[in-house]
């Protein structure tokens, strides 16, 4: 399995965490670690490490389509 780090910026709105995690799960990835904090101007910053056998770009592209998500960055980590 491949490990990847997703850095996500989004508007802090009701249900955004659930929607992000649902996209990750539906695309076949598993959350390994998650760090989340509310930033200035009611924004949410998240760092999520995921494991997946599929290409992580599938997850990133779907996350980018969520209305409250403003930015998604992907960093490949070592393979597990």
């Amino acid at each position: 399995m491949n490990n990847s780090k997703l850095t996500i910026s989004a508007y802090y709105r009701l249900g955004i965490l659930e929607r992000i995690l649902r996209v990750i799960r539906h695309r076949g990835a598993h959350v390994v670690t998650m760090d989340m904090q509310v930033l200035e101007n009611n924004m949410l910053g998240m760092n999520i490490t995921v494991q997946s056998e599929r290409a992580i770009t599938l997850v990133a592209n779907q996350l980018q389509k969520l209305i409250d998500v403003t930015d998604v960055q992907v960093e490949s980590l070592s393979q597990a």
Side-chain angles (χ1 to χ4, degrees):
M1 284 194 163
N2 296 323
N3 287 347
S4 300
K5 178 181 173 186
L6 298 170
T7 302
I8 303 167
S9 296
Y11 293 109
Y12 185 50
R13 303 246 168 80
L14 184 63
I16 188 62
L17 177 60
E18 289 89 352
R19 288 193 298 276
I20 289 170
L21 293 175
R22 184 180 329 127
V23 167
I24 292 170
R25 181 176 52 90
H26 280 223
R27 289 293 168 190
H30 304 278
V31 174
V32 178
T33 64
M34 182 174 68
D35 177 37
M36 180 185 84
Q37 63 188 56
V38 178
L39 307 171
E40 297 174 7
N41 299 329
N42 213 26
M43 295 294 291
L44 183 70
M46 299 178 72
N47 291 314
I48 303 175
T49 304
V50 297
Q51 283 185 341
S52 179
E53 292 181 5
R54 298 179 181 177
I56 197 63
T57 55
L58 296 172
V59 174
N61 290 340
Q62 290 300 311
L63 287 171
Q64 194 68 46
K65 292 178 184 180
L66 292 176
I67 194 161
D68 291 327
V69 172
T70 58
D71 187 46
V72 178
Q73 300 294 320
V74 178
E75 179 184 343
S76 295
L77 303 174
S78 63
Q79 293 185 354

